[in-house]
Amino acid sequence: MAIVKDKVGVVSCSGEDLPEGTISRIATRIVLEKLRPNDTVTICLPLFLAGSEDERAFARVFPTIAIDGCDKRCAEVGTKKYSGKPVATIVVSEIMQKYPYLKAKSRGKLSAKEKELALKVAEEIAAKVDEVLERKKRGDSN
Amino acid sequence: MLKDGRVFVIPCSGIGKALGTVGRAAMYEVVEKLRPNEATTICLPLLTIGDEAVLKLARNNPCISVDGCPFQCARKNIEASKGKLVASFMVTDVLRENKDLKPKAVTELDPKGLKLASILAEKLATQIDEINNNNR
């Protein structure tokens, strides 16, 4: 199956139980809607199990970046288990260490600080998308 | 706070559709505001990857799935995990009863989406009460 070279798949963990899961979900949406709308696609992580072979082909069709809220890395593990190995993983809790003044506390509606954190994570995702596309352009598969 | 002994509300959180966001918002309204002592949630992706601790919780406690689209990822993942599924809700059913509340944005719900989430949250709270009454 051919890899689609001009789009990157972004798979978010969505982690309902943790504020970091909400940050990863919102950051992913910011990338899809605002930062890289023409370069990215997504799929619901639980759809890998609930869907058909078409859904499970996702990471074999698109180079994929997993966005995880915590170190359990459900998006990375789930994508690898059901679809294909992601080319990169971004973990929100690791990015948060760079911005100690931005805490994630809400699981529902985000505060101004949490929105700022989501944007920081989104910018890291967008940079990784650019890197993956650049690598693909050069024909480098790693 | 201990999670055992409570009803688990597990939404699909569908990232591609506004109705996935409605299901997630309804769940938070229930577990944080309407029934904070009776209901809780777990990460659906942890069920998807087969995390042992979360599998145990889903198998030992009543679970309610909340799905935004016909793929019904929450319901199917709970069933595949052999979780104790006692009720399933579809956001589309609630939308059908409230056709004027069609949400648009996925990232942050508009007033219509928030209202739809509140209606669904009330239904979930009623279901949780029924489950708890039947278990007494």
Side-chain angles (χ1 to χ4, degrees):
Chain A
M1 190 177 294
I3 292 268
V4 176
K5 293 196 174 187
D6 56 350
K7 297 268 186 193
V8 175
V10 185
V11 182
S12 171
C13 79
S14 89
E16 290 82 0
D17 205 16
L18 297 174
E20 290 85 349
T22 301
I23 296 288
S24 75
R25 187 174 184 275
I26 299 286
T28 299
R29 287 301 318 182
I30 293 171
V31 174
L32 290 162
E33 289 173 15
K34 293 177 182 166
L35 301 185
R36 297 295 183 273
N38 299 318
D39 300 326
T40 51
V41 289
T42 193
I43 190 169
C44 301
L45 179 60
L47 190 53
F48 282 142
L49 191 149
S52 65
E53 181 51 36
D54 284 350
E55 282 78 36
R56 283 189 277 274
F58 187 83
R60 298 192 290 275
V61 174
F62 301 105
T64 299
I65 301 172
I67 315 301
D68 276 304
C70 75
D71 60 9
K72 294 215 173 195
R73 294 178 177 241
C74 294
E76 180 188 285
V77 174
T79 304
K80 189 176 174 187
K81 183 175 177 181
Y82 295 107
S83 188
K85 192 179 174 196
V87 295
T89 299
I90 287 175
V91 182
V92 172
S93 56
E94 290 173 6
I95 293 176
M96 283 169 66
Q97 289 171 12
K98 289 198 252 175
Y99 308 99
Y101 59 99
L102 296 175
K103 308 276 185 209
K105 291 178 186 167
S106 321
R107 298 185 299 180
K109 195 171 169 58
L110 300 188
S111 68
K113 289 270 185 200
E114 288 160 342
K115 283 181 183 171
E116 193 182 336
L117 175 61
L119 185 58
K120 297 279 186 201
V121 175
E123 285 167 353
E124 298 239 5
I125 300 169
K128 189 60 77 176
V129 168
D130 295 346
E131 191 187 309
V132 171
L133 289 175
E134 188 55 38
R135 237 190 281 158
K136 286 290 161 201
K137 246 188 246 170
R138 291 198 315 259
D140 177 1
S141 60
N142 294 315
Chain B
M1 195 186 287
L2 280 176
K3 283 178 178 280
D4 257 325
R6 295 203 261 171
V7 177
F8 284 75
V9 183
I10 307 172
C12 70
S13 293
I15 196 161
K17 295 182 175 72
L19 297 187
T21 307
V22 171
R24 186 181 176 96
M27 175 275 288
Y28 285 133
E29 196 165 327
V30 174
V31 305
E32 293 180 355
K33 293 176 185 166
L34 301 181
R35 298 293 183 276
N37 299 316
E38 293 87 7
T40 187
T41 194
I42 44 176
C43 296
L44 181 59
L46 274 174
L47 269 189
T48 306
I49 67 166
D51 180 270
E52 283 298 328
V54 167
L55 282 177
K56 201 173 164 190
L57 285 171
R59 286 170 183 168
N60 293 340
N61 296 281
C63 298
I64 301 174
S65 63
V66 183
D67 280 299
C69 85
F71 280 109
Q72 299 192 69
C73 292
R75 182 178 70 77
K76 286 179 185 171
N77 275 267
I78 295 167
E79 286 175 346
S81 308
K82 298 186 171 57
K84 198 194 280 186
L85 184 69
V86 295
S88 295
F89 283 78
M90 291 287 298
V91 184
T92 43
D93 292 340
V94 186
L95 179 61
R96 209 169 292 126
E97 295 164 6
N98 301 273
K99 291 192 173 85
D100 55 326
L101 296 179
K102 191 170 183 182
K104 284 180 184 156
V106 181
T107 308
E108 199 162 358
L109 287 178
D110 53 21
K112 286 182 178 182
L114 290 170
K115 176 73 180 158
L116 192 65
S118 288
I119 293 169
L120 174 56
E122 290 291 345
K123 287 176 184 281
L124 288 165
T126 302
Q127 183 71 56
I128 289 161
D129 294 344
E130 276 177 27
I131 292 163
N132 286 335
N133 287 338
N134 290 338
N135 286 343
R136 270 187 197 145

